[in-house]
Amino acid sequence: MQAATFLAYLVAAALFITGIRRLRTPETARSGNTLAAFGMIIALVATFLVTDVATPLSWPLIGGGILIGAVIGAVSAQRVPMTGMPQMVAAFNGVGGGCIALVALSEFYQGRAETWVAALTGLLTVIIGSLSFSGSVIAFSKLQELAFSGSVVFPLQQVVNALIFLSILVLSANVLAGGAIAQALGLPFLDPLISVYAIFVASLVLGVLFVIPIGGADMPIVISLLNAFTGLAAAASGFVLENYALLIGGTIVGASGTILTRNMSSALGRPLSKIIFQGIAAAGGGDEDQEEKEVNEASAEEVGSYLKDEAQKVVIVPGYGLAVAQAQGPMYELMELLESEGKEVKFGIHPVAGRMPGHMNVLLTEAGVPYDKLYDMEDINPEFEETDAVIIVGANDVVNPAAKDEEKDTAISGMPILEVENAKKVIFVKRSLSPGFAGVDNPLFYDQDKTMMYFTDAKQGLQDIAEALRNE
Amino acid sequence: MQAATFLAYLVAAALFITGIRRLRTPETARSGNTLAAFGMIIALVATFLVTDVATPLSWPLIGGGILIGAVIGAVSAQRVPMTGMPQMVAAFNGVGGGCIALVALSEFYQGRAETWVAALTGLLTVIIGSLSFSGSVIAFSKLQELAFSGSVVFPLQQVVNALIFLSILVLSANVLAGGAIAQALGLPFLDPLISVYAIFVASLVLGVLFVIPIGGADMPIVISLLNAFTGLAAAASGFVLENYALLIGGTIVGASGTILTRNMSSALGRPLSKIIFQGIAAAGGGDEDQEEKEVNEASAEEVGSYLKDEAQKVVIVPGYGLAVAQAQGPMYELMELLESEGKEVKFGIHPVAGRMPGHMNVLLTEAGVPYDKLYDMEDINPEFEETDAVIIVGANDVVNPAAKDEEKDTAISGMPILEVENAKKVIFVKRSLSPGFAGVDNPLFYDQDKTMMYFTDAKQGLQDIAEALRNE
Amino acid sequence: MEQLLTQIAIFVIAAFLGWELISRVPNMLHTPLMSATNAIHGIVLVGAIIVIATASDAFTLTIGFIAVVFGAMNVVGGFWVTNRMLGMFRPPKPRVMKRKG
Amino acid sequence: MEQLLTQIAIFVIAAFLGWELISRVPNMLHTPLMSATNAIHGIVLVGAIIVIATASDAFTLTIGFIAVVFGAMNVVGGFWVTNRMLGMFRPPKPRVMKRKG
Ligand SMILES: NC(=O)c1ccc[n+]([C@@H]2O[C@H](COP(=O)([O-])OP(=O)(O)OC[C@H]3O[C@@H](n4cnc5c(N)ncnc54)[C@H](OP(=O)(O)O)[C@@H]3O)[C@@H](O)[C@H]2O)c1
Ligand SMILES: NC(=O)c1ccc[n+]([C@@H]2O[C@H](COP(=O)([O-])OP(=O)(O)OC[C@H]3O[C@@H](n4cnc5c(N)ncnc54)[C@H](OP(=O)(O)O)[C@@H]3O)[C@@H](O)[C@H]2O)c1
């Protein structure tokens, strides 16, 4: 590779790095993204300049392919509602993985993976890439509620997965051994190339089987795990193609996915393994003891008058339900209203509130909430003591004190929560007493002096509260 | 190079990185240093295993050299008082630079720097290495008050420096041109090798001339600058020797030196260029208008009784004078005493208090102060409002409100300071009204309601205050 | 071999660097971070282009074409949606304070 | 050439990494940081050893010897003094509270 191209790729990598460095503050983040995109352009241009095509067809194919992909990508990116981010990320991650797998596949087909190093990294790329492709597709269709919603299980699932995985390993060994193993086993038709195809298919299947049993709400973890995979696959193909932009970029993406996955699982208070292999347990809504307990049910008017007369400092805790109900707009209006009453309003955002890390922040900023009002768990928890009212909208798990209760071991045991129970008053805005995703009942519901339960759809409810405030 | 050696060096680099990562908290710092040292051992062992020596003399020389160096290093490291850290760092940095320069020199002598890349990086290494060697030696002798104390200036200094620098450039060009330039100038004796020697000597001289004019108190900046240089030189020789441990380690050291230098100069509120080329101006103690102003002079007893009766929250601000007076011990006793009186005691530490970044922290921890009592400027400044008494021991510049005064432009203008003026009472413990290193008079001295001036040597003074407290 | 070793070296340092970089991104920006990094691994598009360029048989060209489409989707879509998200983060605005009876 | 380019690549990433690493060390530990990094660049001792090993003439051997001595001083002294400093950082101790009349 010429020095110029090499340096161009290096510059691209440096721009990726700088871009991510700028993601540290909302002020600089956007420019960071632009820088990274710019790096990408440099890498592409550099590639164009050095490729001399084998057939006249090549350029049209390349150009056409990029054009089609770009249009699909841009349109869907422009159209997707912010609530649909998890799907979107899953989709893009999937196509990325697919691209990587196909590239590696063709490396084998063109017989360019002679050295064992090339073969090994190539195999890794095929396996991880295709796995993360099919996995992401399933994740997407789950989140989009196209198919497989909920957790699909069938007997001996784990066993089947294990077998497939094993066969992948054997086939890979066969590839590295130049087909010798197949010969020995008397399966001469399994030459290396065929084996690679088989591996490709098997990995696709494995990806599907790996994701279908996992419940919709655990998808974000799966997605960021797959994101990490794709990153590593990219890095691996950086080895194969001896391209440092790929190598460096891929590695960093891998790190990103790994860290986010780790953060999530620790914010969920349960180890990754548990999430992946017992995601079902969590989804299948735990102990819902239906003996009637008394709650202090309140109306929009009651909530409104309390807020108006007794609350000076208000903290709002948004949850998944807010997103489902599309209630960001009314949420923002309520905030404006309370502030115009001279009250102090802050948002307390749990790391896994919603269905994706940082998802709530995006949803609220979209509605118009300035980001200096959005507080992380660590920052808001100390403030609940001097808070007069906490309005919890479509959230449960992230404020459920049961998580801290040593006695019983629930899906959220050990998960750090927003300590809303320290506030003077707690106002729940949700449709029923039904618990959240983790299916753990919330003792706060039944604390009748502290808690007001306002049963309603989040969107409607917030509008009514605002209405009530105005008419006070 | 065999794969094994290569990987050993890579592991070494990884250990250096992990070591520095652990320097983020006092708890982990020590283990970090150990890890880095361990990495060094791995690198050395790996080197021993692959070197086959040219003469039977080699091993004894290597072994003997390491032994001698190790002993000298260990003994001085063990003996040096914590107040002598700046010198120590300067010394080790110097020998490091020297080592690098000599290695590069021999590369030339043995004619191993054929390619222009090798030659170029080699020259860089020789120049920077020897410059930072001689520079550090001067810095050392200044700080140790062996010689050149204060700032040594002579006419046309800058001009001479410029000339030497120019000649270094020309000679380097000559080396790269294989002596052609010298030929053209009719100086045939200046073959490349001779030129390298000349460059070596010239750089040594330049290092000396570069440092002697700079005042003793600005040395830390010079040192960390030279530290950055040595790091870069090490990285450069990593290029020459194609050794990644050197390359990576050196680069990181370079970054460290650069960042610390930048921090210091910004904490000093003046750009680096100014510090280096006008270090003299600062050293020559600015405006000391000697018209007698009234101050509220206090005795140990007065200070003691105020602390005992009226002060509940006390912040102590140590400065360079504390170090000079070796008053850390008495400082610690006073803290213990005040705490035993049930008072809250904290230390407010300015980034450039003392004569080296973080120097005060080391001195105080040595005296026995637990590090959770040591507060950075940002953390302590908001607390001065509710502080009853600030005891300023041997410090002036870092608490001098003149720095914020827009009208007059002084050596400390724009330097962020500890805002002690917000506290109820300010107690200075110093020998006189004379200003600090920057030579800027401190208006606080003359604020007779707020300030108590206790004129004494820090050590004696603190002991007397403690005494007074006991006898109350 | 040399080649492989240097690649490993780069991989190792890049991994350290990645860890440092990502661990400093605040929770607030984790969704944009995810989609941005997502876009970055689309750099494999480069590989896909090379595949087409070097191929002359229908099979490879088809594979390459699909790969290019996928890659382009990943890159363009990823950066685009991230940009859209980050565009919504409004700077702190002066507090509204008009009381009403 | 290849070689040089990869070295440049490593240099660049290492520079980014260094920046991240160092900028996260608190002021409190800047003196130890200085002396630790100081010790790290003593890694050039490796180079000095190689010089002696490959040399057979008095001049180079002498240079090499001095270099080795310097390098060893740098390494051993640097780590040693850093260790001494860091050994003094005491963990927070339970507050003393005995009041006296
Ligand atoms: N963010 C992530 O990265 C991530 C990843 C994996 C898992 N999770 C999990 O997701 C959960 C997030 O907790 P969370 O508190 O935000 O949500 P949650 O605990 O799942 O609770 C959501 C609540 O919203 C209410 N709700 C649903 N639709 C509503 C509507 N239209 N109007 C009003 N309320 C509505 C539901 O109660 P009603 O039915 O009574 O209305 C439900 O209790 C956690 O358990 C977390 O572990 C998050
Ligand atoms: N830390 C760094 O990295 C660094 C680097 C370069 C420059 N500097 C400069 O060093 C200065 C540090 O500020 P600083 O406030 O710590 O020190 P300072 O402003 O230099 O003041 C030191 C004070 O200590 C007093 N003093 C000296 N010996 C004493 C003794 N034996 N007993 C009692 N008092 C004694 C002196 O006053 P008396 O003579 O009246 O006693 C002097 O006013 C700043 O100007 C900074 O810019 C620091």
Side-chain angles (χ1 to χ4, degrees), chain B residues 217 268 320 352 355-356 394 396-397 430-432 434 437 457-458:
Chain B
L268 299 170
Y320 173 62
V352 296
R355 285 294 179 261
M356 185 175 178
N396 177 28
D397 297 349
K430 64 203 295 288
R431 297 166 310 179
S432 69
S434 76
F437 149 72
D457 171 82

Side-chain angles (χ1 to χ4, degrees), chain A residues 177-193:
Chain A
I181 295 179
Q183 297 290 352
L185 298 174
L187 307 166
F189 64 90
L190 266 181
D191 64 31
L193 190 53

Side-chain angles (χ1 to χ4, degrees), chain B residues 9 16-17 20-21 23-26 29-30 33 36-37 40 43-44 47-48 51 53-55 58 61-62 65-66 68-70 72-74 77-80 82 85 89 92-93 95-96 98-100 102-103 105-106 109-110 112 117 133 197 220 224 227 230 238-239 241-244 246-249 251-253 255-256 259-260 262-263 332 336 339-341 344 356-359 361-362 365-366 370-374 376, chain D:
Chain B
Y9 285 141
F16 294 158
I17 294 170
I20 295 179
R21 290 190 76 221
L23 280 177
R24 277 175 208 171
T25 65
R30 198 176 191 180
N33 183 56
M40 189 64 71
L44 288 175
T47 315
F48 287 141
T51 41
V53 295
T55 75
S58 306
L61 278 175
I62 295 175
I66 291 183
I68 298 174
I72 303 177
Q78 187 58 40
R79 290 248 184 87
V80 61
M82 286 303 149
M85 257 331 130
V89 173
F92 291 145
N93 186 52
V95 286
C99 179
I100 295 174
L102 290 174
V103 170
L105 206 60
S106 75
Y109 181 80
Q110 297 179 309
R112 258 202 254 98
V117 180
F133 172 70
Y197 295 149
S224 75
N227 198 4
T230 322
F239 275 91
L241 305 172
E242 300 186 349
N243 179 324
Y244 287 174
L246 258 167
L247 181 50
I248 298 169
T251 310
I252 291 173
V253 177
S256 157
I259 293 181
L260 289 181
R262 195 199 53 167
N263 287 359
Y332 176 68
E336 291 263 280
E339 288 193 334
S340 68
E341 301 274 342
E344 181 184 3
M356 185 175 178
H359 197 186
N361 306 77
V362 174
T365 44
E366 182 191 19
Y371 54 73
D372 62 332
K373 290 206 189 324
L374 307 176
D376 281 349
Chain D
M1 197 53 191
E2 257 305 329
Q3 183 64 15
L4 173 66
L5 290 172
T6 36
Q7 287 176 328
I8 292 176
I10 293 205
F11 176 74
V12 170
I13 327 174
F16 274 110
L17 177 57
W19 196 266
E20 294 300 325
L21 288 173
I22 304 298
S23 57
R24 283 176 87 165
V25 176
N27 286 339
M28 179 195 276
L29 292 171
H30 274 174
T31 297
L33 172 66
M34 245 182 169
S35 63
T37 49
N38 214 328
I40 289 177
H41 66 50
I43 177 78
V44 68
L45 172 56
V46 166
I49 292 172
I50 296 171
V51 169
I52 293 192
T54 52
S56 45
D57 62 301
F59 177 76
T60 319
L61 286 175
T62 332
I63 287 193
F65 181 73
I66 305 176
V68 168
V69 173
F70 278 0
M73 270 178 72
N74 186 182
V75 170
V76 176
F79 283 121
W80 189 297
V81 78
T82 313
N83 185 52
R84 223 183 108 209
M85 268 190 270
L86 293 172
M88 300 179 321
F89 279 79
R90 277 172 205 57
K93 61 166 168 37
R95 198 67 150 291
V96 207
M97 264 306 170
K98 58 172 158 54
R99 44 168 68 268
K100 55 196 294 235

Side-chain angles (χ1 to χ4, degrees), chain B residues 310-396:
Chain B
E310 273 141 278
Q312 181 46 40
K313 176 169 183 179
V314 181
V315 172
I316 302 176
V317 175
Y320 173 62
L322 180 92
V324 177
Q326 297 278 359
Q328 310 90 299
M331 175 95 283
Y332 176 68
E333 281 154 31
L334 182 60
M335 177 198 86
E336 291 263 280
L337 197 55
L338 287 168
E339 288 193 334
S340 68
E341 301 274 342
K343 301 185 186 303
E344 181 184 3
V345 184
K346 291 178 176 178
F347 290 84
I349 302 197
H350 190 281
V352 296
R355 285 294 179 261
M356 185 175 178
H359 197 186
M360 278 298 150
N361 306 77
V362 174
L363 293 173
L364 291 172
T365 44
E366 182 191 19
V369 180
Y371 54 73
D372 62 332
K373 290 206 189 324
L374 307 176
Y375 288 78
D376 281 349
M377 178 163 64
E378 307 74 50
D379 305 331
I380 199 74
N381 266 344
E383 295 200 26
F384 283 119
E385 262 84 2
E386 65 261 17
T387 302
D388 307 310
V390 182
I391 312 178
I392 298 159
V393 185
N396 177 28

Side-chain angles (χ1 to χ4, degrees), chain A residues 21 23 30 33 54 77-78 80 85 89 93 96 99 106 109 112 224 239 339-340 357-359 365 371-372, chain C residues 7 21 24 26 28-29 31 34 38 41 51 53-54 57 60 67 74 79-81 83-84 90 92 95 98-99:
Chain A
R21 289 191 75 223
L23 280 176
R30 198 176 193 181
N33 183 58
Q78 186 57 41
V80 62
M85 260 323 132
V89 173
N93 186 53
C99 178
S106 75
Y109 181 79
R112 258 204 254 91
S224 76
F239 275 92
E339 288 191 332
S340 68
H359 196 185
T365 44
Y371 54 73
D372 63 332
Chain C
Q7 287 175 327
L21 288 173
R24 283 177 88 166
M28 180 196 278
L29 292 172
T31 298
M34 244 181 169
N38 213 328
H41 66 49
V51 168
T54 53
D57 62 301
T60 320
N74 187 181
F79 283 122
W80 189 298
V81 78
N83 185 53
R84 220 183 110 208
R90 276 171 206 61
R95 198 68 150 289
K98 56 172 162 48
R99 339 189 115 275

Side-chain angles (χ1 to χ4, degrees), chain B residues 246-291:
Chain B
L246 258 167
L247 181 50
I248 298 169
T251 310
I252 291 173
V253 177
S256 157
T258 315
I259 293 181
L260 289 181
T261 313
R262 195 199 53 167
N263 287 359
M264 257 187 277
S265 65
S266 72
L268 299 170
R270 42 200 232 274
L272 192 57
S273 57
K274 226 172 154 189
I275 291 163
I276 288 176
F277 298 117
Q278 297 166 32
I280 313 107
D287 59 318
E288 283 162 48
D289 40 11
Q290 284 314 349
E291 27 90 13

